[in-house]
Amino acid sequence: MKKLAVLLPTYNSAKYLDESISSILNQTYLDFDLYIYDDCSIDNSKEIVESYSDKRIFYRKNNQNLGISKTLNKGLEELLRSYQFIARMDADDWAFPERFQKQIDFLEENKSIMLCGTQGYWLKDMAENLSSGWKYPYGDDYLKLYLLFGASFGHSSVILRSDFFISNNLRYDEDIKTCEDWDLWIRTSKKGEIYNLSNFLMKYRIVNNSNHRLLKNKILHLKERSAIISNYWKTFDIDLSPEQVFEYYYSTNENINENFETKLEILISSFNRLFDNHAKDLKKQEKRMFSYMLARKILNFWKRSRVSKYNLKTWVIIITKVKFIGTIRLIKSQLN
């Protein structure tokens, strides 16, 4: 079995594809093959790929546009049984030269980790060279909680362990159109350990016409998120419907303030139970960050409700009901 295959889907991304391919070919780790799956592009993507003479590059083109999930699954079906690891890469992103070496070294040393991501910079101008940036959580315990609120991995940063995905029949859900990665990471986390390296090894290009940012897909994206998250809450023995998740996380509808106090108490109770029953194994700093994040989620819901921040009844509910964070930090979190 060969060591590493890179799975790179592309659809009309010729503008960025050359830069992405070059960043892969410039890796310090050399033992890989790069598979480019073209989802029936009508630009000059094929010509760009064929301009390379590197024998590690393999090009596949769909006969019709299948969409991202089906295209990725097509790649997994071809590659999983031939390679020990599968790395994801997107046609509009860029990988630092040491990315594969650091991830493969980590996975070789930590056999219990089934999915490994990295940190990355989110940029509109890929020429920027930042020295710091926002970070995803690292360890398995924290990531499994954080997945309730965010996808938690840069999709094109991950490397997965093939035998684990084969034995657990893990593939992308082809019915999900905009956040197929988030769903897959959740299902992966239920069966094995996951991890993010602390190293910044990716640049993610912010593209306004990317799948989930398109105006026509925005509401669909939030509703798909809400359904995925609602189902994941059940893992923690907490029942929040997709409609509740949508309202608590995303909605700006003016009706959000109807029965606001009751809704607020349900949200606080859910957070209390989550923290009390499932945050015990977090490191001290992780607990502190997680409790603060939960408090800020409450504030975010309150702000979107348009209920006044001076509403005394709301303050009484928050101060008397929230149990996962100290009162002083709680008040500060609501005022910042």
Side-chain angles (χ1 to χ4, degrees):
M1 177 179 282
K2 300 178 78 172
K3 182 65 75 172
L4 175 67
V6 184
L7 172 51
L8 191 162
T10 185
Y11 177 63
N12 290 339
S13 296
K15 183 178 180 181
Y16 312 116
L17 185 57
D18 184 57
E19 193 174 1
S20 178
I21 293 172
S22 294
S23 78
I24 296 302
L25 297 182
N26 287 330
Q27 292 291 303
T28 58
Y29 184 87
L30 302 176
D31 187 13
F32 67 84
D33 292 322
L34 170 58
Y35 287 80
I36 299 169
Y37 289 84
D38 186 340
D39 194 16
C40 205
S41 296
I42 57 174
D43 60 11
N44 64 324
S45 293
K46 182 179 181 181
E47 288 74 18
I48 290 172
V49 175
E50 291 180 341
S51 71
Y52 287 89
S53 58
D54 196 305
K55 294 182 179 179
R56 294 173 297 176
I57 297 178
F58 299 87
Y59 178 73
R60 310 282 190 262
K61 186 167 184 177
N62 296 339
N63 293 324
Q64 59 181 336
N65 183 259
L66 300 178
I68 184 64
S69 295
K70 288 183 179 180
T71 299
L72 287 171
N73 280 342
K74 183 178 178 180
L76 289 177
E77 290 304 322
E78 178 180 2
L79 303 175
L80 280 173
R81 287 173 173 79
S82 300
Y83 293 86
Q84 187 177 351
F85 300 105
I86 309 295
R88 273 286 287 109
M89 184 64 185
D90 282 337
D92 52 6
D93 292 337
W94 187 89
F96 284 89
E98 65 274 22
R99 175 198 161 185
F100 290 168
Q101 188 68 64
K102 288 186 178 295
Q103 287 182 282
I104 292 297
D105 286 349
F106 179 83
L107 286 163
E108 295 281 26
E109 293 169 7
N110 297 271
K111 304 293 186 183
S112 65
I113 303 299
M114 303 302 158
L115 180 78
C116 176
T118 80
Q119 309 303 322
Y121 304 108
W122 297 85
L123 303 169
K124 289 186 177 180
D125 179 5
M126 298 294 269
E128 282 190 73
N129 290 305
L130 303 181
S131 58
S132 63
W134 177 84
K135 286 190 173 185
Y136 287 122
Y138 307 154
D140 180 70
D141 290 329
Y142 194 13
L143 279 167
K144 284 176 176 172
L145 291 171
Y146 204 86
L147 279 163
L148 284 164
F149 304 99
S152 305
F153 291 87
H155 193 174
S156 59
S157 82
V158 303
I159 294 183
L160 58 89
R161 201 178 291 274
S162 296
D163 58 357
F164 175 80
F165 271 65
I166 292 170
S167 62
N168 288 283
N169 195 30
L170 288 166
R171 305 291 189 275
Y172 292 92
D173 186 333
E174 296 179 2
D175 291 329
I176 297 175
K177 306 302 180 185
T178 67
C179 44
E180 68 290 333
D181 54 335
W182 194 340
D183 169 74
L184 183 58
W185 311 156
I186 285 174
R187 288 186 285 117
T188 302
S189 75
K190 292 179 181 181
K191 296 178 179 293
E193 292 184 38
I194 55 179
Y195 198 88
N196 271 319
L197 299 184
S198 62
N199 312 80
F200 282 82
L201 299 174
M202 289 293 302
K203 287 184 178 181
Y204 306 114
R205 192 185 305 271
I206 299 173
V207 181
N208 290 331
N209 65 346
S210 62
N211 190 26
H212 69 276
R213 289 191 176 94
L214 289 172
L215 185 60
K216 66 178 182 178
N217 286 342
K218 192 169 183 180
I219 294 299
L220 171 64
H221 179 59
L222 295 181
K223 288 187 175 181
E224 285 189 333
R225 278 187 176 193
S226 299
I228 290 166
I229 295 166
S230 170
N231 189 55
Y232 190 42
W233 270 105
K234 295 174 184 175
T235 305
F236 302 94
D237 299 317
I238 296 171
D239 188 14
L240 292 175
S241 69
E243 293 74 22
Q244 285 176 298
V245 170
F246 183 82
E247 190 165 53
Y248 285 139
Y249 285 43
Y250 309 119
S251 178
T252 56
N253 191 295
E254 60 184 16
N255 295 329
I256 194 174
N257 60 13
E258 292 181 3
N259 302 312
F260 175 71
E261 289 82 9
T262 299
K263 295 174 183 176
L264 181 61
E265 290 194 24
I266 292 172
L267 181 62
I268 291 172
S269 174
S270 299
F271 285 1
N272 284 339
R273 289 171 57 195
L274 178 69
F275 194 86
D276 187 51
N277 295 330
H278 301 282
K280 298 184 181 72
D281 294 330
L282 296 184
K283 298 174 183 177
K284 184 177 180 180
Q285 184 59 22
E286 290 174 337
K287 277 188 177 181
R288 185 174 178 83
M289 291 189 296
F290 189 53
S291 64
Y292 186 76
M293 184 184 73
L294 294 178
R296 296 293 292 178
K297 294 294 182 184
I298 291 171
L299 173 62
N300 180 267
F301 175 58
W302 184 0
K303 281 184 174 180
R304 284 183 288 104
S305 75
R306 300 180 182 86
V307 172
S308 171
K309 65 179 180 179
Y310 303 109
N311 185 285
L312 181 59
K313 190 171 183 180
T314 301
W315 274 110
V316 169
I317 291 172
I318 289 175
I319 291 172
T320 60
K321 300 290 185 180
V322 171
K323 305 299 182 186
F324 55 81
I325 190 172
T327 303
I328 293 176
R329 285 188 69 225
L330 174 63
I331 292 173
K332 286 182 178 179
S333 75
Q334 305 302 299
L335 294 175
N336 290 343

Short mmCIF file of all heavy atoms in Angstrom, two decimals, residues 250-285:
data_model
loop_
_atom_site.label_atom_id
_atom_site.label_comp_id
_atom_site.label_asym_id
_atom_site.label_seq_id
_atom_site.Cartn_x
_atom_site.Cartn_y
_atom_site.Cartn_z
N TYR A 250 -28.68 31.37 14.45
CA TYR A 250 -28.57 32.16 13.22
C TYR A 250 -29.69 33.16 12.96
O TYR A 250 -29.44 34.18 12.30
CB TYR A 250 -28.51 31.20 12.01
CG TYR A 250 -27.49 30.12 12.12
CD1 TYR A 250 -27.88 28.76 12.10
CD2 TYR A 250 -26.13 30.40 12.26
CE1 TYR A 250 -26.94 27.75 12.20
CE2 TYR A 250 -25.20 29.39 12.37
CZ TYR A 250 -25.60 28.06 12.34
OH TYR A 250 -24.68 27.07 12.45
N SER A 251 -30.89 32.89 13.38
CA SER A 251 -32.05 33.66 12.93
C SER A 251 -31.95 35.14 13.32
O SER A 251 -31.52 35.48 14.42
CB SER A 251 -33.34 33.06 13.51
OG SER A 251 -34.46 33.85 13.11
N THR A 252 -32.40 35.99 12.38
CA THR A 252 -32.56 37.42 12.66
C THR A 252 -34.01 37.83 12.49
O THR A 252 -34.32 39.01 12.43
CB THR A 252 -31.67 38.25 11.72
OG1 THR A 252 -31.99 37.93 10.36
CG2 THR A 252 -30.19 37.97 11.97
N ASN A 253 -34.90 36.85 12.41
CA ASN A 253 -36.32 37.10 12.24
C ASN A 253 -36.86 37.88 13.43
O ASN A 253 -36.50 37.62 14.58
CB ASN A 253 -37.07 35.77 12.08
CG ASN A 253 -38.50 35.97 11.63
OD1 ASN A 253 -39.31 36.55 12.35
ND2 ASN A 253 -38.82 35.49 10.44
N GLU A 254 -37.75 38.83 13.14
CA GLU A 254 -38.29 39.66 14.21
C GLU A 254 -39.11 38.86 15.22
O GLU A 254 -39.31 39.29 16.36
CB GLU A 254 -39.14 40.78 13.63
CG GLU A 254 -40.34 40.30 12.81
CD GLU A 254 -41.10 41.42 12.16
OE1 GLU A 254 -40.56 42.54 12.07
OE2 GLU A 254 -42.25 41.17 11.74
N ASN A 255 -39.56 37.66 14.83
CA ASN A 255 -40.35 36.83 15.75
C ASN A 255 -39.49 36.12 16.79
O ASN A 255 -40.02 35.44 17.67
CB ASN A 255 -41.14 35.78 14.96
CG ASN A 255 -42.19 36.40 14.05
OD1 ASN A 255 -42.73 37.46 14.37
ND2 ASN A 255 -42.45 35.75 12.93
N ILE A 256 -38.19 36.30 16.72
CA ILE A 256 -37.30 35.62 17.65
C ILE A 256 -37.56 36.05 19.10
O ILE A 256 -37.30 35.30 20.04
CB ILE A 256 -35.82 35.89 17.27
CG1 ILE A 256 -34.87 34.94 17.99
CG2 ILE A 256 -35.42 37.31 17.55
CD1 ILE A 256 -33.43 35.07 17.53
N ASN A 257 -38.10 37.26 19.27
CA ASN A 257 -38.32 37.74 20.65
C ASN A 257 -39.65 37.28 21.25
O ASN A 257 -39.94 37.58 22.41
CB ASN A 257 -38.22 39.27 20.72
CG ASN A 257 -39.25 39.98 19.84
OD1 ASN A 257 -40.19 39.36 19.35
ND2 ASN A 257 -39.05 41.27 19.64
N GLU A 258 -40.43 36.51 20.49
CA GLU A 258 -41.66 35.95 21.05
C GLU A 258 -41.30 34.86 22.06
O GLU A 258 -40.50 33.98 21.78
CB GLU A 258 -42.53 35.38 19.94
CG GLU A 258 -43.10 36.43 19.01
CD GLU A 258 -43.98 35.82 17.92
OE1 GLU A 258 -44.18 34.58 17.93
OE2 GLU A 258 -44.44 36.57 17.04
N ASN A 259 -41.88 34.94 23.25
CA ASN A 259 -41.58 33.99 24.33
C ASN A 259 -40.06 33.92 24.59
O ASN A 259 -39.50 32.85 24.85
CB ASN A 259 -42.11 32.59 24.00
CG ASN A 259 -43.60 32.57 23.76
OD1 ASN A 259 -44.37 33.12 24.55
ND2 ASN A 259 -44.02 31.96 22.66
N PHE A 260 -39.42 35.08 24.54
CA PHE A 260 -37.96 35.12 24.61
C PHE A 260 -37.43 34.53 25.92
O PHE A 260 -36.44 33.79 25.91
CB PHE A 260 -37.46 36.56 24.46
CG PHE A 260 -35.98 36.69 24.64
CD1 PHE A 260 -35.09 36.19 23.69
CD2 PHE A 260 -35.45 37.30 25.78
CE1 PHE A 260 -33.71 36.29 23.87
CE2 PHE A 260 -34.08 37.40 25.96
CZ PHE A 260 -33.22 36.90 25.01
N GLU A 261 -38.06 34.85 27.03
CA GLU A 261 -37.56 34.36 28.32
C GLU A 261 -37.58 32.83 28.38
O GLU A 261 -36.64 32.20 28.87
CB GLU A 261 -38.38 34.95 29.48
CG GLU A 261 -38.15 36.43 29.74
CD GLU A 261 -38.96 37.31 28.82
OE1 GLU A 261 -39.83 36.76 28.09
OE2 GLU A 261 -38.74 38.54 28.81
N THR A 262 -38.65 32.22 27.85
CA THR A 262 -38.74 30.75 27.85
C THR A 262 -37.65 30.15 26.97
O THR A 262 -36.98 29.18 27.35
CB THR A 262 -40.12 30.31 27.34
OG1 THR A 262 -41.14 30.83 28.20
CG2 THR A 262 -40.22 28.79 27.30
N LYS A 263 -37.46 30.74 25.80
CA LYS A 263 -36.42 30.26 24.89
C LYS A 263 -35.05 30.39 25.54
O LYS A 263 -34.20 29.49 25.43
CB LYS A 263 -36.46 31.04 23.58
CG LYS A 263 -37.72 30.83 22.76
CD LYS A 263 -37.73 31.76 21.55
CE LYS A 263 -39.02 31.62 20.75
NZ LYS A 263 -39.08 32.61 19.63
N LEU A 264 -34.83 31.52 26.19
CA LEU A 264 -33.54 31.76 26.83
C LEU A 264 -33.25 30.73 27.92
O LEU A 264 -32.14 30.21 28.03
CB LEU A 264 -33.51 33.18 27.42
CG LEU A 264 -32.22 33.61 28.11
CD1 LEU A 264 -31.05 33.60 27.13
CD2 LEU A 264 -32.40 35.00 28.72
N GLU A 265 -34.26 30.41 28.71
CA GLU A 265 -34.08 29.43 29.78
C GLU A 265 -33.77 28.03 29.22
O GLU A 265 -32.97 27.29 29.79
CB GLU A 265 -35.32 29.39 30.67
CG GLU A 265 -35.48 30.65 31.51
CD GLU A 265 -36.51 30.47 32.64
OE1 GLU A 265 -36.74 29.32 33.05
OE2 GLU A 265 -37.06 31.49 33.09
N ILE A 266 -34.39 27.69 28.09
CA ILE A 266 -34.10 26.39 27.46
C ILE A 266 -32.65 26.35 26.99
O ILE A 266 -31.94 25.36 27.19
CB ILE A 266 -35.06 26.14 26.28
CG1 ILE A 266 -36.48 25.93 26.79
CG2 ILE A 266 -34.59 24.92 25.45
CD1 ILE A 266 -37.53 25.87 25.68
N LEU A 267 -32.18 27.45 26.37
CA LEU A 267 -30.81 27.51 25.89
C LEU A 267 -29.82 27.41 27.05
O LEU A 267 -28.85 26.64 26.99
CB LEU A 267 -30.59 28.82 25.13
CG LEU A 267 -29.18 29.02 24.53
CD1 LEU A 267 -28.88 27.95 23.49
CD2 LEU A 267 -29.06 30.42 23.92
N ILE A 268 -30.07 28.16 28.11
CA ILE A 268 -29.18 28.13 29.27
C ILE A 268 -29.16 26.74 29.91
O ILE A 268 -28.10 26.22 30.25
CB ILE A 268 -29.61 29.19 30.30
CG1 ILE A 268 -29.36 30.60 29.75
CG2 ILE A 268 -28.87 29.00 31.63
CD1 ILE A 268 -29.92 31.72 30.61
N SER A 269 -30.32 26.13 30.03
CA SER A 269 -30.40 24.78 30.60
C SER A 269 -29.60 23.78 29.76
O SER A 269 -28.89 22.92 30.30
CB SER A 269 -31.86 24.33 30.69
OG SER A 269 -31.95 22.99 31.11
N SER A 270 -29.69 23.91 28.44
CA SER A 270 -28.95 23.01 27.54
C SER A 270 -27.45 23.19 27.73
O SER A 270 -26.68 22.22 27.81
CB SER A 270 -29.33 23.28 26.09
OG SER A 270 -30.71 23.04 25.88
N PHE A 271 -27.01 24.44 27.82
CA PHE A 271 -25.58 24.73 28.00
C PHE A 271 -25.09 24.24 29.37
O PHE A 271 -23.98 23.72 29.48
CB PHE A 271 -25.32 26.22 27.85
CG PHE A 271 -25.34 26.72 26.41
CD1 PHE A 271 -25.61 25.86 25.35
CD2 PHE A 271 -25.10 28.05 26.13
CE1 PHE A 271 -25.63 26.31 24.04
CE2 PHE A 271 -25.11 28.52 24.82
CZ PHE A 271 -25.38 27.66 23.78
N ASN A 272 -25.92 24.44 30.41
CA ASN A 272 -25.55 23.96 31.74
C ASN A 272 -25.33 22.45 31.74
O ASN A 272 -24.35 21.94 32.28
CB ASN A 272 -26.63 24.31 32.75
CG ASN A 272 -26.62 25.77 33.17
OD1 ASN A 272 -25.61 26.46 33.04
ND2 ASN A 272 -27.75 26.25 33.68
N ARG A 273 -26.26 21.72 31.15
CA ARG A 273 -26.17 20.26 31.11
C ARG A 273 -24.97 19.80 30.30
O ARG A 273 -24.25 18.87 30.68
CB ARG A 273 -27.46 19.67 30.52
CG ARG A 273 -28.67 19.78 31.45
CD ARG A 273 -29.94 19.38 30.73
NE ARG A 273 -29.87 18.03 30.18
CZ ARG A 273 -30.71 17.55 29.27
NH1 ARG A 273 -31.68 18.33 28.80
NH2 ARG A 273 -30.60 16.31 28.84
N LEU A 274 -24.75 20.46 29.16
CA LEU A 274 -23.61 20.12 28.32
C LEU A 274 -22.30 20.28 29.09
O LEU A 274 -21.45 19.38 29.10
CB LEU A 274 -23.59 21.01 27.07
CG LEU A 274 -22.43 20.80 26.11
CD1 LEU A 274 -22.55 19.45 25.40
CD2 LEU A 274 -22.37 21.93 25.08
N PHE A 275 -22.14 21.41 29.73
CA PHE A 275 -20.89 21.69 30.43
C PHE A 275 -20.73 20.78 31.64
O PHE A 275 -19.63 20.23 31.87
CB PHE A 275 -20.87 23.16 30.89
CG PHE A 275 -19.51 23.64 31.31
CD1 PHE A 275 -18.61 24.13 30.38
CD2 PHE A 275 -19.12 23.59 32.64
CE1 PHE A 275 -17.34 24.56 30.76
CE2 PHE A 275 -17.86 24.01 33.03
CZ PHE A 275 -16.97 24.51 32.09
N ASP A 276 -21.79 20.58 32.39
CA ASP A 276 -21.71 19.77 33.61
C ASP A 276 -21.42 18.31 33.30
O ASP A 276 -20.64 17.65 34.01
CB ASP A 276 -23.02 19.89 34.39
CG ASP A 276 -22.94 19.21 35.74
OD1 ASP A 276 -21.99 19.49 36.49
OD2 ASP A 276 -23.83 18.39 36.04
N ASN A 277 -22.00 17.79 32.23
CA ASN A 277 -21.89 16.36 31.94
C ASN A 277 -20.76 15.99 30.98
O ASN A 277 -20.33 14.83 30.97
CB ASN A 277 -23.22 15.85 31.34
CG ASN A 277 -24.36 15.93 32.32
OD1 ASN A 277 -24.16 15.83 33.53
ND2 ASN A 277 -25.57 16.15 31.82
N HIS A 278 -20.26 16.96 30.21
CA HIS A 278 -19.33 16.58 29.14
C HIS A 278 -18.05 17.41 29.07
O HIS A 278 -17.22 17.15 28.19
CB HIS A 278 -20.05 16.65 27.80
CG HIS A 278 -21.24 15.75 27.71
ND1 HIS A 278 -21.14 14.38 27.50
CD2 HIS A 278 -22.57 16.01 27.84
CE1 HIS A 278 -22.35 13.85 27.49
NE2 HIS A 278 -23.24 14.80 27.69
N ALA A 279 -17.88 18.37 29.97
CA ALA A 279 -16.67 19.19 29.93
C ALA A 279 -15.67 18.80 31.01
O ALA A 279 -14.65 19.48 31.18
CB ALA A 279 -17.05 20.67 30.06
N LYS A 280 -15.94 17.72 31.72
CA LYS A 280 -15.08 17.33 32.84
C LYS A 280 -13.65 17.04 32.41
O LYS A 280 -12.70 17.30 33.16
CB LYS A 280 -15.65 16.08 33.54
CG LYS A 280 -17.02 16.26 34.16
CD LYS A 280 -17.43 14.99 34.90
CE LYS A 280 -18.82 15.11 35.52
NZ LYS A 280 -19.87 15.08 34.46
N ASP A 281 -13.47 16.45 31.21
CA ASP A 281 -12.15 16.02 30.78
C ASP A 281 -11.36 17.10 30.05
O ASP A 281 -10.22 16.86 29.62
CB ASP A 281 -12.27 14.79 29.87
CG ASP A 281 -12.82 13.58 30.61
OD1 ASP A 281 -12.56 13.46 31.83
OD2 ASP A 281 -13.51 12.76 29.98
N LEU A 282 -11.94 18.29 29.91
CA LEU A 282 -11.21 19.37 29.26
C LEU A 282 -10.08 19.87 30.15
O LEU A 282 -10.16 19.85 31.38
CB LEU A 282 -12.15 20.54 28.95
CG LEU A 282 -13.30 20.30 27.97
CD1 LEU A 282 -14.04 21.60 27.72
CD2 LEU A 282 -12.80 19.71 26.66
N LYS A 283 -9.02 20.33 29.53
CA LYS A 283 -7.95 20.98 30.27
C LYS A 283 -8.47 22.30 30.85
O LYS A 283 -9.47 22.85 30.37
CB LYS A 283 -6.76 21.23 29.35
CG LYS A 283 -6.14 19.95 28.79
CD LYS A 283 -5.06 20.26 27.78
CE LYS A 283 -4.49 18.98 27.18
NZ LYS A 283 -3.48 19.27 26.13
N LYS A 284 -7.78 22.80 31.86
CA LYS A 284 -8.24 24.00 32.56
C LYS A 284 -8.47 25.16 31.60
O LYS A 284 -9.52 25.83 31.67
CB LYS A 284 -7.22 24.40 33.63
CG LYS A 284 -7.65 25.58 34.48
CD LYS A 284 -6.63 25.89 35.56
CE LYS A 284 -7.06 27.08 36.41
NZ LYS A 284 -6.06 27.37 37.48
N GLN A 285 -7.53 25.41 30.70
CA GLN A 285 -7.67 26.51 29.77
C GLN A 285 -8.80 26.26 28.77
O GLN A 285 -9.51 27.19 28.37
CB GLN A 285 -6.35 26.76 29.03
CG GLN A 285 -6.35 27.96 28.09
CD GLN A 285 -6.66 29.28 28.81
OE1 GLN A 285 -6.48 29.40 30.02
NE2 GLN A 285 -7.16 30.25 28.06
#
